[in-house]
Amino acid sequence: MSTAKRPTTKASTATKTASVTAKATATKKVAAAAKVTPKATPPKKSPPKKTTVVSSDAVQLLDYYREMLFIRRFEERAARAYTQALIGGYCHLNLGEEAAVVGLMSALRPTDYLFTNYREHGYAIARNIDPNAIMAELYGRVDGVSKGWGGSMHMFDMEHRLLGGYGIVGGQLPLATGAALAIDYRGGDDVVMCTMGEGTSNIGAFHESLNIAQLWKLPVVFVVINNFLGMGTKVELSSAEPEIYRRAAAYRMPSARVDGADPIEVAAAARIAVESARAGQPYLLEVTCHRLRGHSVVDPAKYRSASEVEELKLHDPVHNLAERLLNLGLTDADTLAALDEAMLARLDEIAAFAEASAHPDVNTLFDYTYATPVPNDSRRLPGQSLFDENGVAR
Amino acid sequence: MSTAKRPTTKASTATKTASVTAKATATKKVAAAAKVTPKATPPKKSPPKKTTVVSSDAVQLLDYYREMLFIRRFEERAARAYTQALIGGYCHLNLGEEAAVVGLMSALRPTDYLFTNYREHGYAIARNIDPNAIMAELYGRVDGVSKGWGGSMHMFDMEHRLLGGYGIVGGQLPLATGAALAIDYRGGDDVVMCTMGEGTSNIGAFHESLNIAQLWKLPVVFVVINNFLGMGTKVELSSAEPEIYRRAAAYRMPSARVDGADPIEVAAAARIAVESARAGQPYLLEVTCHRLRGHSVVDPAKYRSASEVEELKLHDPVHNLAERLLNLGLTDADTLAALDEAMLARLDEIAAFAEASAHPDVNTLFDYTYATPVPNDSRRLPGQSLFDENGVAR
Amino acid sequence: MTLMSYRQALHDTLRSEMLRDENVMLMGEEIGVFEGSYKITAGLLAEFGEKRVRDTPIAEEGFTGAAIGAAMLGLRPVVELMTINFSLIAIDQIVNHAAKIYGMFGGQAKVPMVIRTPGGGGQQLGATHSQNIELYYAFVPGLKVVAPSTPADAKALMLAAIRDDDPVLFLENLALYNTKGEVPDHDEPAIIGKAKVTREGSHLTLIGYSRMAYVAKKIADQLADSDHLDIEVVDLCSLRPLDRETIINSVKKTNCAVVVEDDWLTYGIGAEVAATISDGAFDYLDAPVRRVAMAEVPMPYAKSLETAALPSEDDIINAIYQTLDAIGHRRSKTGPHD
Amino acid sequence: MTLMSYRQALHDTLRSEMLRDENVMLMGEEIGVFEGSYKITAGLLAEFGEKRVRDTPIAEEGFTGAAIGAAMLGLRPVVELMTINFSLIAIDQIVNHAAKIYGMFGGQAKVPMVIRTPGGGGQQLGATHSQNIELYYAFVPGLKVVAPSTPADAKALMLAAIRDDDPVLFLENLALYNTKGEVPDHDEPAIIGKAKVTREGSHLTLIGYSRMAYVAKKIADQLADSDHLDIEVVDLCSLRPLDRETIINSVKKTNCAVVVEDDWLTYGIGAEVAATISDGAFDYLDAPVRRVAMAEVPMPYAKSLETAALPSEDDIINAIYQTLDAIGHRRSKTGPHD
Ligand SMILES: Cc1ncc(C[n+]2csc(CCOP(=O)(O)OP(=O)(O)O)c2C)c(N)n1
Ligand SMILES: Cc1ncc(C[n+]2csc(CCOP(=O)(O)OP(=O)(O)O)c2C)c(N)n1
Ligand SMILES: [Mg+2]
Ligand SMILES: [Mg+2]
């Protein structure tokens, strides 16, 4: 509830004394900073300078690249399956967001929670969920992460603490705030990350959630993926403050903006945000990136001008990172080609797995209406009459 | 839609060329200011210095006092009638808010629009609506401003452009934004003022409305009456940014805070806000004041400590203004006493009028469901069967 | 058994459940310092502290959603929405999130929470504060909706709701808070999804829920005394699931029914009850199911109009007699309602 | 008459109304630059400019409320809500404001606006994007709710809705957008509040609205050909007001009815229709009113489960035959449905 209280709550868990002290200090620092000036972090308008790569960073960069490339190939595969009508509903891809995804996810502990939106395949991958299960979900099969009940927009995995993709714009924000409340209530030191698009920052739930999170000092990081577009609407036409991180000022919440082109930059900014939240000071992190294709697989994005489309090519984070790795001499073209080859083969297997997985049995239709069984709930199929031959309601 | 466009729209009204030029300039200035720094107006934390009273101000002050005193006596009379069960429902009073009310209303032209909330009797009075009609509304009678259909929370008068008291917290904000949109659409130069409490600034509609108003450069002033309490909740426990005017930064909207103790200060701040809006730059104005009694007539406000109650006495704007008038030699005790006497007598008449007014006839129950008549709408009374003797549905 | 008010029963049950399970916590506007708009939570902040009795900003969507998120992690939040009218600001979180999370993710996350909120009317609160929109929740699979009419049921259903692993909309009623009744001292939860025959009878089935179940019982008792009428009263108790069996069994016995409700007639809760009876007791029904409900207007403030728009006890009594007349029931006593 | 799609009819009518009355303007997410999620507004931004075709932020409550406020000052906004599921974010503005303003202020301010929004399902959109919650609006006095099933009705009802001085919820349907039909060239508005007999018949009354009225008509035509059945089809067209007379008159002729709907059965739109028939045609009804509706679950994504949860044409045909069987109707031809 209050900054002062969190460390006390935690101190009661006797075994955690050491980390508690560290956290208590951090809490005070962040809170103090937040007090002096409502905007704890100065605007970063110019793109961040490129970091010099030291050797551990080199390994890191290669790892990031591998992950980003896998997400890229996964999404392309999903797009293909969608156009083949193997995937239904809506299908939104992370193309262009790969560096942001891997950078953000690298800042979370496995025990931290993630709430996200309908554009979440990459996040599920980066949270180390079995890609077979992710693809199977897209196919609507029993081996899917949500057993085929969720589809592209609604991936969920309690074990990996992905607490849902959500399809209602902004719907995940109050939920994430509440999950952070539960952590705070119990005195754990997990953190909740909650991602959303920049267009989502205009909905009422954004305001209500950030206010509550800051009032109650909840361990949550709100992340705005600013890809400058919500469907076809440019950020300047949807947000009167198009630099979204500045909106944190309305809640005296610290915030920052980072260029989502570079996974290392993103990871660094995300770590600051996550550790702030862990210390009881919620945080708003804005990550800029570019949506390389349409809003969803079916959107031809005709509203983009030729020059915009041209410019997009400069913003492909996977391509750019490959270039960078080559320029830095950290890899060579053959290695990258082999990597790509291997991934494509892997994705063939994944797609085959998904396609081989069974369709949910119609007998399971009434399995998930209620967690606690209840008498008189309806199990009537559409073609059945309300009362059966014996006059019993179904 | 855009700043550039408003003057053009207006210029098409040929007769208004002079004022158009002035406005166009103003628009540019405000817009420019808003651009340089999101917070156009610096915080005013210390209470404003007392203005030196010049003679025209003296007349003004006396006028304000008269109006404030009338509101005070009206509200006290309403409280009495409520405890006598002559008024039903909820009844929220403006006690302590009188200086804010008259200051704000003085900044509006008669053709400007006001949207407000359930705490609006004083606003209705200050908009020059017949107090007989206001009291009759509280009594739920046919001569009420809303013909008895609205009650204390829902006063409405198209002629005086009071477009409603609203009882759903925050409900009036989108409406006010839309009224400003209609003005902008048609190219008029009216302004919409929309008042709310500080507790209301935490609801989603606040965020959505301010964002839309600023995006579309609508002629609307949002006014937050910060009385530091929403029912029993202190502002620090409801708003992570308790200086509400600062929230305008999240929309690059200019804003200011003014002490609501002094009607002249309030009027001056309100004029700046209103003229900004008239020039196409919406504005957020925070007016601080103190709620002298409970949230509504029935609330004993037990959550206030004795010292808080004691301190409140220092914040009675009507009493303080009387003192000031006396100290400045602008009036004397006898005059004030006579004024009060006259007002009390006037309120007896008003209450008598209300009580004499007829209760709405039950035959009018179905008069206001639809503005455009429609076949098959239900006119069934609760005791009637759905189908009449002839099998016709009612 | 202890005689107590509906308000007291709610208060005491919340308190005892908080003592029993530390995951139970309360959230809502003005429930702490202000002690609740209708004082259900009086004293609980002082007893349990800010952690477990949380005053929220005016942000129904935000805090209701936060309760859902907290429930996903195992807390058992009990949210107070000041009146059901304000639930419209939170309804996206309730219908699109609380009700969907269990199914949409294939049963991986439960949402064990309660949303308490009073309906009611007749207090001159005007059009936006006098609605009975429990229908909006009763319509939604994934939610459970209960609506107790007595202090004893308030206790038993609150126990059940808090201990249930699904989101439960717990409908209270402004006009019931001060009503009194005997309340068992033991902590036996009710079974959600079950209706109750609160008075056995053979002449007619009178059906209601929440305040109208209370009124129905009262009228039935009264008509038994004054007119020797033998009316069976069914208190729905649960709106979702709806206990069709109890309703049908009663009508099979009485052959006619009157449904009383505090909401609008067209598409109201009574529509389903009437449709259910007309289907399940088709061969037993001797007269159309009569519905007594609000007039279909935005509720006016003026007392004269409000009174006209709300179902009165006389309206219900007349509906009973008109239905009995229709089936040719011979009255055992000529009462004042002819 | 011109043959065109439901989508085209909507588009053309919006356009012609904008040409006719400059107070008519459009608001909604992605209706301009993106040309509408379902392309109803394609080309209108280019033709009418930003003033009259306004792309909004994702802020359903804010912009729907803004449309209400603009309507109070005399504009005639037509708001697009991308799907009816998202209307839950705006419902407080619709139910507590648009529907109340005229009455709550004693008739002083009108709210002449239209909220267009598609319902529908069967597109594997999952639990939060597959709901049919028109009930929420049909329940509310002060709103008018229309639900056309053909291109011609889409045109005529849109003309009526835009010219009406009350807030009108205009229900479209994803699955109807591409359906075609003859549309009159003249601009004659429909009368809101009237149902339509779209096929006369004597064996059974089949009732639906929106997509289900379309399906009902199709099935009736088909069964006339294949099975020599003579089914009367009632298209409700308007959900509030509900045209009970047309429904009852039909059932008085056919003596039995099947109601088909795309929403959940319990408390769904069909409940009121069934209750209405069971009351108003009590002495004429030879079998219980049968309802065909969705299974009561949060809609699963998987095709196999979604298909099982949605009413199919076979479900409707079976319901028709079961109802006819119940009243002992002798089939003139033995079809494949035995
Ligand atoms: C409440 C609600 N309104 C509208 C939509 C339709 N919709 C889905 S995604 C989207 C755009 C979101 O933009 P942004 O937040 O920037 O995220 P992005 O898609 O760019 O990642 C819209 C309008 C929705 N799903 N929910
Ligand atoms: C949506 C909604 N939630 C809750 C309420 C109950 N309520 C009425 S007034 C009020 C407090 C508002 O506080 P504030 O905005 O500060 O205004 P004040 O009453 O102090 O003038 C509350 C919670 C309501 N009317 N509407
Ligand atoms: Mg975006
Ligand atoms: Mg206040």
Side-chain angles (χ1 to χ4, degrees):
Chain A
M1 198 106 178
S2 72
T3 323
K5 230 160 124 216
R6 274 184 64 79
T8 322
T9 319
K10 276 169 199 150
S12 65
T13 323
T15 48
K16 288 188 184 170
T17 321
S19 66
V20 165
T21 322
K23 260 171 279 149
T25 323
T27 312
K28 271 183 214 135
K29 261 189 216 148
V30 176
K35 209 145 199 187
V36 176
T37 152
K39 276 179 207 150
T41 326
K44 280 193 196 170
K45 272 188 174 171
S46 47
K49 53 210 168 324
K50 287 274 175 280
T51 28
T52 331
V53 178
V54 296
S55 66
S56 77
D57 273 5
V59 178
Q60 184 62 279
L61 261 190
L62 275 165
D63 279 352
Y64 281 143
Y65 179 73
R66 237 173 258 118
E67 232 183 323
M68 287 166 59
L69 184 66
F70 184 72
I71 295 172
R72 171 67 53 94
R73 295 301 175 233
F74 185 97
E75 293 294 60
E76 287 167 348
R77 186 78 198 202
R80 199 168 104 196
Y82 188 90
T83 52
Q84 293 167 332
L86 291 164
I87 297 175
Y90 299 141
C91 193
H92 314 82
L93 308 176
N94 289 114
L95 302 173
E97 201 174 320
E98 295 89 346
V101 172
V102 303
L104 286 168
M105 292 305 97
S106 77
L108 295 180
R109 298 181 185 164
T111 48
D112 290 335
Y113 294 90
L114 176 69
F115 285 77
T116 179
N117 62 13
Y118 48 83
R119 196 184 296 287
E120 91 283 41
H121 311 166
Y123 292 90
I125 292 168
R127 285 244 82 184
N128 290 318
I129 296 172
D130 179 3
N132 281 341
I134 302 170
M135 191 64 87
E137 188 58 40
L138 295 178
Y139 280 59
R141 309 298 173 95
V142 290
D143 295 305
V145 269
S146 304
K147 301 187 189 153
W149 280 66
S152 168
M153 302 198 286
H154 309 116
M155 306 257 173
F156 191 103
D157 186 325
M158 193 51 108
E159 189 195 328
H160 293 89
R161 300 208 163 176
L162 166 61
L163 259 61
Y166 293 86
I168 300 291
V169 158
Q172 73 275 25
L173 275 79
L175 304 177
T177 307
L181 169 63
I183 293 167
D184 183 60
Y185 187 92
R186 295 215 169 118
D189 74 345
D190 298 329
V191 161
V192 176
M193 182 177 279
C194 177
T195 76
M196 74 197 88
E198 88 297 335
T200 302
S201 80
N202 300 304
I203 204 147
F206 174 89
H207 182 62
E208 298 193 4
S209 301
L210 268 72
N211 188 49
I212 289 174
Q214 177 66 25
L215 271 177
W216 296 351
K217 298 282 182 192
L218 301 178
V220 53
V221 177
F222 297 102
V223 177
V224 172
I225 303 292
N226 185 350
N227 59 13
F228 309 103
L229 277 178
M231 296 186 68
T233 303
K234 295 208 165 91
V235 62
E236 302 82 19
L237 298 179
S238 69
S239 296
E241 171 53 81
E243 297 183 21
I244 312 298
Y245 78 99
R246 290 179 183 262
R247 291 192 151 163
Y251 320 99
R252 297 199 177 174
M253 190 186 284
S255 68
R257 186 184 221 202
V258 62
D259 184 340
D262 180 344
I264 295 208
E265 286 284 330
V266 174
R271 267 192 297 273
I272 292 171
V274 167
E275 292 322 314
S276 170
R278 215 179 292 288
Q281 173 53 63
Y283 200 99
L284 176 64
L285 178 64
E286 177 180 1
V287 186
T288 57
C289 48
H290 298 265
R291 204 189 69 203
L292 298 181
R293 299 249 197 107
H295 170 66
S296 67
V297 176
V298 293
D299 170 22
K302 285 188 188 158
Y303 42 84
R304 269 178 167 154
S305 67
S307 70
E308 280 169 346
V309 173
E310 198 52 40
E311 215 206 283
L312 268 186
K313 294 186 183 151
L314 304 176
H315 291 297
D316 181 335
V318 179
H319 177 266
N320 289 351
L321 186 51
E323 292 281 296
R324 196 164 147 207
L325 291 171
L326 291 170
N327 289 344
L328 289 167
L330 294 173
T331 188
D332 57 48
D334 287 350
T335 313
L336 290 187
L339 180 67
D340 207 0
E341 199 95 333
M343 279 190 188
L344 291 171
R346 177 81 209 286
L347 277 155
D348 282 341
E349 287 166 34
I350 290 171
F353 174 88
E355 205 160 351
S357 176
H359 293 275
D361 193 304
V362 171
N363 289 330
T364 65
L365 183 61
F366 298 104
D367 282 6
Y368 300 126
T369 315
Y370 296 110
T372 299
V374 64
N376 292 313
D377 65 324
S378 167
R379 291 170 179 253
R380 180 196 42 80
L381 287 168
Q384 294 180 310
S385 56
L386 180 52
F387 292 90
D388 68 15
E389 318 70 46
N390 305 315
V392 177
R394 29 187 169 208
Chain B
M1 196 102 180
S2 74
T3 323
K5 233 158 126 215
R6 276 185 62 78
T8 322
T9 321
K10 276 168 198 155
S12 65
T13 325
T15 47
K16 288 188 184 172
T17 320
S19 66
V20 165
T21 322
K23 260 171 280 151
T25 322
T27 311
K28 271 184 212 131
K29 263 189 214 148
V30 176
K35 209 146 196 186
V36 175
T37 153
K39 278 179 207 152
T41 328
K44 278 192 198 171
K45 271 191 177 170
S46 46
K49 53 207 166 325
K50 289 274 173 278
T51 28
T52 332
V53 178
V54 297
S55 65
S56 76
D57 273 3
V59 178
Q60 184 62 277
L61 261 191
L62 275 165
D63 279 353
Y64 281 143
Y65 180 73
R66 237 174 258 120
E67 232 182 321
M68 286 164 59
L69 183 67
F70 184 72
I71 293 171
R72 170 66 54 92
R73 296 298 177 234
F74 185 98
E75 293 294 60
E76 289 167 348
R77 186 79 198 199
R80 197 167 104 197
Y82 188 88
T83 53
Q84 294 167 332
L86 291 163
I87 297 176
Y90 299 140
C91 192
H92 314 83
L93 309 176
N94 290 115
L95 301 173
E97 200 174 322
E98 295 89 347
V101 171
V102 303
L104 286 167
M105 293 302 97
S106 77
L108 295 179
R109 297 181 185 164
T111 47
D112 291 335
Y113 294 90
L114 176 68
F115 286 77
T116 178
N117 62 13
Y118 48 83
R119 197 183 295 287
E120 91 284 40
H121 312 165
Y123 293 90
I125 292 168
R127 285 246 83 183
N128 291 319
I129 296 171
D130 179 3
N132 280 340
I134 301 170
M135 191 65 86
E137 188 59 38
L138 295 178
Y139 280 60
R141 309 299 174 93
V142 291
D143 295 305
V145 267
S146 304
K147 301 189 190 151
W149 280 67
S152 167
M153 303 197 286
H154 309 116
M155 307 255 172
F156 191 104
D157 185 325
M158 195 51 109
E159 190 195 328
H160 293 89
R161 301 208 163 175
L162 166 61
L163 260 63
Y166 293 86
I168 300 290
V169 157
Q172 73 274 25
L173 275 80
L175 304 176
T177 306
L181 169 64
I183 293 167
D184 183 61
Y185 188 92
R186 293 213 170 119
D189 73 346
D190 299 327
V191 161
V192 177
M193 183 178 279
C194 177
T195 75
M196 74 198 87
E198 88 297 335
T200 302
S201 79
N202 301 304
I203 204 148
F206 174 89
H207 182 63
E208 298 192 3
S209 301
L210 268 74
N211 187 49
I212 290 174
Q214 177 66 24
L215 271 177
W216 296 350
K217 297 280 181 195
L218 301 178
V220 55
V221 177
F222 297 102
V223 177
V224 172
I225 304 293
N226 185 351
N227 58 12
F228 309 104
L229 278 178
M231 297 185 67
T233 303
K234 297 208 164 90
V235 62
E236 301 82 19
L237 297 179
S238 68
S239 295
E241 172 52 81
E243 298 183 22
I244 313 296
Y245 78 99
R246 291 179 183 262
R247 292 193 150 162
Y251 320 100
R252 297 197 178 176
M253 189 187 285
S255 68
R257 186 185 221 202
V258 62
D259 184 342
D262 180 344
I264 296 206
E265 287 284 329
V266 174
R271 267 192 298 272
I272 292 170
V274 167
E275 292 322 312
S276 170
R278 214 178 294 287
Q281 173 53 61
Y283 199 98
L284 176 64
L285 179 64
E286 178 180 0
V287 186
T288 58
C289 48
H290 297 265
R291 205 190 68 202
L292 297 181
R293 298 247 199 108
H295 170 67
S296 68
V297 176
V298 292
D299 170 22
K302 283 188 189 158
Y303 42 83
R304 269 177 167 154
S305 68
S307 71
E308 280 171 345
V309 173
E310 198 50 39
E311 215 207 282
L312 268 185
K313 294 186 183 150
L314 305 175
H315 291 297
D316 181 335
V318 179
H319 177 266
N320 290 351
L321 186 51
E323 292 283 293
R324 193 163 150 205
L325 291 171
L326 291 169
N327 288 344
L328 291 167
L330 293 173
T331 189
D332 56 49
D334 287 350
T335 314
L336 291 186
L339 180 66
D340 207 0
E341 200 96 334
M343 277 189 189
L344 290 170
R346 177 81 208 286
L347 277 155
D348 282 342
E349 288 167 32
I350 289 170
F353 173 89
E355 205 161 352
S357 175
H359 293 275
D361 193 303
V362 171
N363 289 330
T364 64
L365 183 60
F366 298 104
D367 282 7
Y368 300 126
T369 315
Y370 296 111
T372 300
V374 63
N376 292 313
D377 65 324
S378 168
R379 290 170 180 252
R380 179 196 44 80
L381 286 168
Q384 293 180 310
S385 57
L386 180 52
F387 292 91
D388 69 14
E389 317 69 48
N390 305 316
V392 177
R394 30 188 169 208
Chain C
M1 289 284 209
T2 310
L3 184 74
M4 66 174 79
S5 68
Y6 189 97
R7 170 183 286 112
Q8 189 72 38
L10 288 171
H11 169 276
D12 291 1
T13 310
L14 290 175
R15 181 172 174 274
S16 69
E17 286 297 281
M18 289 180 78
L19 289 170
R20 186 186 59 80
D21 181 352
E22 63 174 17
N23 286 318
V24 176
M25 50 92 70
L26 314 183
M27 290 172 69
E29 291 162 14
E30 307 296 333
I31 63 168
V33 174
F34 197 84
E35 305 210 293
S37 293
Y38 300 102
K39 307 300 170 204
I40 307 302
T41 54
L44 298 181
L45 171 62
E47 181 171 358
F48 293 99
E50 288 182 356
K51 182 180 142 187
R52 300 190 62 194
V53 180
R54 218 168 264 251
D55 275 323
T56 66
I58 312 175
E60 282 84 359
E61 183 178 12
F63 70 76
T64 304
I68 301 168
M72 291 172 78
L73 261 65
L75 297 194
R76 296 188 165 269
V78 181
V79 169
E80 174 174 312
L81 291 175
M82 209 178 274
T83 82
I84 199 168
N85 302 280
F86 310 151
S87 74
L88 290 182
I89 292 180
I91 195 172
D92 173 70
Q93 283 295 322
I94 304 171
V95 169
N96 275 334
H97 296 87
K100 301 295 188 283
I101 281 170
Y102 186 64
M104 190 163 73
F105 300 130
Q108 294 179 83
K110 299 170 181 173
V111 183
M113 70 181 294
V114 181
I115 299 173
R116 295 178 37 237
T117 190
Q123 321 229 354
Q124 283 193 269
L125 296 176
T128 61
H129 284 54
S130 306
Q131 297 165 105
N132 292 299
I133 49 176
E134 47 275 15
L135 171 74
Y136 289 4
Y137 305 102
F139 182 53
V140 180
L143 296 179
K144 294 169 178 170
V145 180
V146 298
S149 73
T150 66
D153 285 354
K155 173 175 180 175
L157 281 166
M158 183 57 82
L159 289 171
I162 291 176
R163 298 175 188 188
D164 197 284
D165 275 344
D166 295 305
V168 179
L169 195 293
F170 189 98
L171 183 70
E172 304 175 1
N173 192 292
L174 299 182
L176 288 180
Y177 283 142
N178 288 333
T179 57
K180 291 200 166 168
E182 294 289 342
V183 176
D185 297 319
H186 63 70
D187 277 1
E188 183 70 23
I191 297 174
I192 295 176
K194 288 274 194 193
K196 251 188 190 171
V197 175
T198 58
R199 190 183 190 288
E200 303 224 2
S202 59
H203 291 159
L204 177 144
T205 301
L206 188 60
I207 305 168
Y209 62 94
S210 191
R211 184 179 82 90
M212 279 307 196
Y214 169 88
V215 172
K217 175 73 162 52
K218 195 179 128 195
I219 287 175
D221 286 342
Q222 182 185 310
L223 291 180
D225 276 1
S226 62
D227 298 23
H228 301 295
L229 270 185
D230 189 22
I231 292 177
E232 177 143 318
V233 178
V234 176
D235 180 347
L236 296 178
C237 297
S238 170
L239 300 180
R240 176 166 290 264
L242 178 65
D243 180 358
R244 292 186 163 96
E245 194 186 346
T246 300
I247 300 169
I248 295 299
N249 285 345
S250 176
V251 179
K252 282 184 176 168
K253 193 168 71 173
T254 63
N255 308 116
C256 61
V258 172
V259 186
V260 292
E261 56 192 320
D262 258 337
D263 62 352
W264 294 302
L265 184 141
T266 305
Y267 304 110
I269 295 287
E272 180 57 56
V273 178
T276 287
I277 296 170
S278 304
D279 185 345
F282 186 78
D283 293 328
Y284 298 82
L285 205 54
D286 289 341
V289 178
R290 174 71 176 269
R291 289 180 272 167
V292 182
M294 292 203 305
E296 304 195 19
V297 296
M299 186 62 74
Y301 164 76
K303 194 73 206 159
S304 55
L305 296 174
E306 188 186 49
T307 305
L310 289 172
S312 69
E313 298 193 7
D314 275 349
D315 291 336
I316 298 169
I317 293 169
N318 284 331
I320 290 170
Y321 273 110
Q322 285 170 15
T323 303
L324 291 174
D325 281 352
I327 65 169
H329 170 93
R330 184 144 339 124
R331 294 183 206 180
S332 33
K333 184 190 162 219
T334 305
H337 311 290
D338 290 15
Chain D
M1 291 286 211
T2 310
L3 183 75
M4 65 174 79
S5 68
Y6 190 97
R7 170 183 286 110
Q8 189 73 38
L10 288 171
H11 169 277
D12 291 2
T13 311
L14 289 175
R15 181 172 175 273
S16 69
E17 286 298 282
M18 289 181 78
L19 289 170
R20 186 187 59 81
D21 180 352
E22 64 174 17
N23 286 319
V24 177
M25 51 92 70
L26 313 184
M27 289 171 71
E29 292 162 13
E30 307 296 334
I31 62 169
V33 173
F34 197 85
E35 304 209 295
S37 292
Y38 300 103
K39 308 298 168 204
I40 308 302
T41 54
L44 298 181
L45 172 63
E47 181 169 0
F48 293 98
E50 287 182 358
K51 183 179 142 187
R52 299 189 64 194
V53 180
R54 218 168 265 250
D55 276 323
T56 66
I58 311 175
E60 282 84 359
E61 182 176 12
F63 71 75
T64 305
I68 300 169
M72 291 171 78
L73 261 66
L75 298 194
R76 296 188 166 269
V78 181
V79 169
E80 174 174 312
L81 291 175
M82 209 178 273
T83 82
I84 197 167
N85 302 282
F86 311 150
S87 75
L88 290 182
I89 292 180
I91 194 171
D92 173 72
Q93 283 294 322
I94 303 171
V95 168
N96 274 334
H97 296 87
K100 301 294 188 283
I101 282 170
Y102 186 65
M104 189 164 71
F105 300 130
Q108 293 178 82
K110 298 171 182 172
V111 183
M113 70 182 293
V114 181
I115 299 173
R116 296 179 36 236
T117 190
Q123 321 227 352
Q124 282 193 271
L125 297 175
T128 61
H129 283 54
S130 305
Q131 296 165 108
N132 292 298
I133 50 176
E134 47 274 15
L135 170 75
Y136 288 5
Y137 306 101
F139 182 52
V140 181
L143 295 179
K144 294 169 178 170
V145 179
V146 298
S149 73
T150 66
D153 285 354
K155 174 175 181 175
L157 281 166
M158 183 56 83
L159 289 171
I162 291 176
R163 297 174 188 189
D164 197 283
D165 274 344
D166 295 304
V168 180
L169 194 293
F170 190 98
L171 183 70
E172 305 175 1
N173 191 293
L174 299 182
L176 287 180
Y177 283 143
N178 288 333
T179 57
K180 291 199 166 171
E182 294 289 341
V183 175
D185 297 320
H186 62 71
D187 277 359
E188 183 71 22
I191 297 174
I192 294 175
K194 289 273 195 195
K196 251 187 189 172
V197 175
T198 56
R199 189 182 191 289
E200 304 224 2
S202 58
H203 291 159
L204 177 143
T205 300
L206 189 60
I207 305 169
Y209 62 93
S210 191
R211 184 179 82 89
M212 278 306 195
Y214 169 88
V215 172
K217 175 74 162 51
K218 196 179 127 196
I219 288 176
D221 286 343
Q222 182 186 312
L223 292 180
D225 277 0
S226 61
D227 298 22
H228 302 296
L229 270 185
D230 189 23
I231 292 177
E232 177 143 317
V233 178
V234 175
D235 180 345
L236 296 177
C237 297
S238 169
L239 300 181
R240 175 165 291 265
L242 178 65
D243 180 357
R244 292 185 162 95
E245 194 186 346
T246 300
I247 299 169
I248 295 298
N249 285 344
S250 176
V251 178
K252 282 183 176 169
K253 196 169 69 173
T254 62
N255 308 114
C256 62
V258 172
V259 186
V260 292
E261 56 191 319
D262 258 336
D263 62 354
W264 294 302
L265 183 141
T266 305
Y267 304 112
I269 295 288
E272 181 56 56
V273 177
T276 288
I277 295 171
S278 304
D279 185 346
F282 186 79
D283 293 328
Y284 298 83
L285 204 54
D286 290 341
V289 178
R290 174 71 176 267
R291 290 181 270 165
V292 181
M294 290 203 307
E296 303 195 20
V297 295
M299 186 62 75
Y301 164 76
K303 195 73 206 159
S304 55
L305 297 174
E306 188 185 52
T307 304
L310 289 172
S312 68
E313 298 193 8
D314 274 349
D315 292 335
I316 299 170
I317 293 170
N318 284 331
I320 290 170
Y321 273 109
Q322 285 169 15
T323 303
L324 291 174
D325 281 351
I327 66 171
H329 170 93
R330 185 148 333 125
R331 297 182 201 179
S332 31
K333 184 190 163 224
T334 305
H337 310 289
D338 287 16

